Amino acid sequence: MAHGVDWSCLGHAMWLVEAAGLRLLCDPLLEPEHHGGVFEMVPRRTVNAAALFPDFVLVSHRHPDHFDVPSLHRLARLDPDAVVVTPDTLVAWAARAVGFRTVHMLPPGQQVQLEGVRLVTTPSLGADEWGVVVAADGAVVWNQVDAVLRDVDHVRQVLSTVLPAVGAPAVDLALARWQPMLEIAATLGRRTSFPYADYGELLAQVAAIRAHAVVPSANGAAHVQSFRWLDRFVFPVSEARFLRDVPQVSPGTTAFPLRVGGRYRVRAGSVTLQPRGAADLVDCEPGGADPRDYRPFAIPELSDPNLGGHDEALMRPRVDAWICETLAAGLAKAWPSMGVQLLLRFGVEVVFPRACDRFTVHVGPDGARVVKTLEPDWDLINVVAGSMLWEVLEGRRHWGDVLLAGGLRAATRAYAVDEAGLRPASVGETFLYYGLSYDDAVERAVRWQVESLTQSRAAKK
């Protein structure tokens, strides 16, 4: 292809880039559901994976809506010679393990010259994460993905480096961060009112790009039916509202909708949308209204849908032992750094489909002691779906799935008080992580997925 870059939207943050005869696939998510069945794509769609033929597969970071192990496994089976590029060591390990022959680690702030295409990875305040600028034939696209920048000045600083590197005066198309998500606000008892400051900052950063055109990329998923109540809290801005607001803060910018199955033709100084330009690559299911309707009112009590259909008689003893032994020991080890002198009471409520197990872990200078009741005068409380907790302990899913499904609720009133006044305790409100860290849970779950997929493939041979 000559004279520009074509970006085909295949859903959420998944894009196929065609430039100078090369095909780059960004953050592949081939299935309609992800995060272990917690989220589904909006709209639901079917991707023609065999028609993609990517030369390069770019995976921006390890969040499961961008780094999907089954999708990488499927792509590796179709073409193991496609080159995977990522800033994350876990993603790189998984890509090699599922069958890709060539995997390159590429940190933020790097430039790569391909045949007729230049890539520049842009920074993020998040660890092991980047956005990417793709430039060819004078056309420039900045795919911000989920990368977080500090403020407007940070945006300008990045552009002051990137634009000279690609030899262009401006960004033609920005695939922009736009949704001030309230992912865990409701479940952790935080404010769920409209995030004026956060949304205002996102709009200001979009305006600072001064792109010819903007598309609200990523944030293209809703919760599946079991967890759909969360959609009333998590997504405070509709796409229509964002498209209305962009021209107000940046009058010279055209705001295009995110059209799954659409192709954005980018030329130096211009962007056009072909609404069905990628119809050969993706087929959208007919559907109704977007389920993500912001109505931040009362949340339902936690229930356990037990998506895996596991036996409670198997799960409950395993969870009980973990709380009484591993979690209690982890809290006792961390207590000296919590900034309190007195005992703290950690309440845990584990909700199974047919039972509810309750614990209070007393933690203080003499260690930890567990009683199997929920004391009303708790200092911190975690309420968790039992089957999801069991799956985390077994390495079959990780804490992010549980939290984003509303399957983990947390509240804290832990503090130290003396003549100097009251000070919040230095303790994480999702204190179950003291028994198994978030990062360790992610790595275990990814390794379990890879092992399950590769063993299944070997068994079929």
Side-chain angles (χ1 to χ4, degrees), residues 11 44 93 104 116 118 159 206 228 243 274 301 327 340 347 351 365 371-372 412 417 428 431:
R44 289 181 70 91
W93 172 85
H104 288 304
R118 181 176 289 274
L159 290 173
V206 169
R228 182 132 298 166
L243 296 177
Q274 299 174 334
E301 289 290 327
L327 177 62
V340 296
V351 179
V371 295
K372 293 189 178 181
T412 178
V417 62
F431 61 79

XYZ file of all heavy atoms in Angstrom, residues 11 44 93 104 116 118 159 206 228 243 274 301 327 340 347 351 365 371-372 412 417 428 431:
184
model
N -12.246 -4.227 17.026
C -12.901 -4.272 18.326
C -12.013 -3.846 19.458
O -10.842 -4.218 19.520
N -20.590 -7.448 20.255
C -19.994 -8.774 20.102
C -19.689 -8.996 18.633
O -20.444 -8.560 17.755
C -20.946 -9.854 20.617
C -21.085 -9.841 22.135
C -22.023 -10.933 22.596
N -21.454 -12.257 22.428
C -20.746 -12.899 23.345
N -20.481 -12.323 24.511
N -20.282 -14.123 23.130
N 7.372 -13.961 27.594
C 7.484 -15.381 27.948
C 6.310 -16.172 27.388
O 6.478 -17.247 26.797
C 7.536 -15.536 29.466
C 7.454 -16.971 29.866
C 8.474 -17.873 29.948
C 6.260 -17.693 30.191
N 7.991 -19.109 30.308
C 6.643 -19.026 30.453
C 4.910 -17.335 30.267
C 5.707 -20.000 30.808
C 3.986 -18.307 30.615
C 4.385 -19.620 30.881
N 10.405 -9.861 20.500
C 11.319 -8.770 20.833
C 10.767 -7.959 21.995
O 9.611 -7.555 21.991
C 11.521 -7.839 19.630
C 12.342 -8.437 18.532
N 13.606 -8.920 18.717
C 12.051 -8.628 17.218
C 14.088 -9.385 17.571
N 13.155 -9.222 16.647
N 9.902 1.126 5.239
C 8.891 2.127 4.921
C 8.020 2.541 6.080
O 7.126 3.377 5.930
N 7.992 3.615 10.350
C 8.739 3.911 11.567
C 7.795 3.780 12.757
O 6.686 4.322 12.750
C 9.335 5.321 11.528
C 10.164 5.658 12.789
C 10.825 7.008 12.677
N 11.903 7.000 11.708
C 13.161 6.644 11.980
N 13.486 6.256 13.203
N 14.080 6.673 11.050
N 5.275 14.560 22.418
C 5.167 14.943 21.005
C 6.404 15.696 20.518
O 6.797 15.567 19.352
C 3.920 15.801 20.793
C 2.585 15.061 20.936
C 1.425 16.049 20.865
C 2.445 13.998 19.858
N -6.261 15.295 25.212
C -6.640 15.083 23.810
C -6.431 16.371 23.009
O -5.881 16.352 21.899
C -8.100 14.602 23.713
C -8.588 14.646 22.265
C -8.234 13.187 24.258
N -23.430 -7.584 35.108
C -23.829 -6.401 34.334
C -24.155 -5.196 35.190
O -24.041 -4.055 34.733
C -25.011 -6.759 33.431
C -25.472 -5.614 32.539
C -25.653 -6.003 31.117
N -24.436 -6.450 30.486
C -24.425 -7.092 29.315
N -25.551 -7.357 28.697
N -23.287 -7.474 28.774
N -17.572 12.343 21.722
C -17.537 12.880 20.360
C -18.109 14.296 20.312
O -17.671 15.113 19.499
C -18.319 11.965 19.413
C -17.761 10.552 19.231
C -18.666 9.730 18.331
C -16.342 10.578 18.677
N -14.069 4.570 6.302
C -14.881 3.670 5.494
C -15.609 2.749 6.478
O -15.007 1.827 7.026
C -14.012 2.852 4.545
C -13.228 3.698 3.545
C -12.264 2.865 2.717
O -11.807 1.809 3.146
N -11.938 3.357 1.535
N -26.064 -6.835 46.676
C -25.232 -7.671 47.527
C -24.391 -8.609 46.667
O -24.793 -9.006 45.569
C -26.093 -8.498 48.479
C -26.751 -7.696 49.581
C -25.747 -7.197 50.609
O -24.755 -7.909 50.855
O -25.951 -6.093 51.154
N -2.984 -16.379 54.720
C -3.366 -14.973 54.857
C -3.017 -14.442 56.238
O -2.459 -13.338 56.372
C -4.859 -14.798 54.579
C -5.393 -13.372 54.765
C -4.710 -12.402 53.806
C -6.907 -13.333 54.585
N 0.398 1.274 63.199
C -0.491 1.255 64.361
C 0.204 0.515 65.499
O 1.104 -0.304 65.275
C -1.839 0.566 64.035
C -2.602 1.350 62.984
C -1.621 -0.872 63.566
N -11.764 -8.472 58.836
C -12.930 -9.315 58.610
C -12.963 -9.847 57.187
O -12.692 -9.114 56.233
N -18.374 -15.684 50.138
C -19.729 -16.007 49.708
C -19.671 -17.070 48.621
O -19.127 -16.841 47.531
C -20.441 -14.747 49.172
C -21.851 -15.085 48.706
C -20.470 -13.660 50.251
N 0.949 -7.110 67.726
C 2.370 -7.348 68.040
C 2.689 -8.802 68.379
O 3.837 -9.220 68.288
C 2.623 -6.429 69.242
C 1.275 -6.139 69.810
C 0.322 -6.159 68.666
N -10.571 -16.121 64.267
C -11.825 -16.638 64.807
C -12.806 -16.766 63.649
O -12.810 -15.945 62.734
C -12.403 -15.726 65.906
C -11.474 -15.697 67.107
C -12.643 -14.316 65.392
N -13.629 -17.822 63.700
C -14.504 -18.097 62.555
C -15.877 -17.470 62.758
O -16.911 -18.140 62.840
C -14.578 -19.594 62.307
C -13.232 -20.155 61.848
C -13.314 -21.588 61.386
C -11.962 -22.063 60.892
N -12.003 -23.462 60.393
N -12.484 0.045 54.615
C -11.532 0.186 55.713
C -11.931 1.335 56.630
O -12.458 2.354 56.185
C -10.098 0.430 55.194
O -9.212 0.613 56.310
C -10.027 1.645 54.288
N -4.803 6.443 66.537
C -5.251 7.702 67.139
C -4.497 7.909 68.460
O -4.300 6.972 69.236
C -6.781 7.707 67.358
C -7.211 6.613 68.323
C -7.259 9.071 67.813
N -3.235 -1.885 52.870
C -4.038 -1.983 51.666
C -5.443 -2.455 51.976
O -5.635 -3.432 52.708
N -6.960 -6.423 51.418
C -5.884 -7.042 52.200
C -5.712 -8.529 51.904
O -4.738 -9.135 52.377
C -6.105 -6.810 53.693
C -7.375 -7.395 54.246
C -7.480 -8.748 54.539
C -8.479 -6.586 54.477
C -8.649 -9.282 55.040
C -9.656 -7.111 54.990
C -9.749 -8.466 55.265
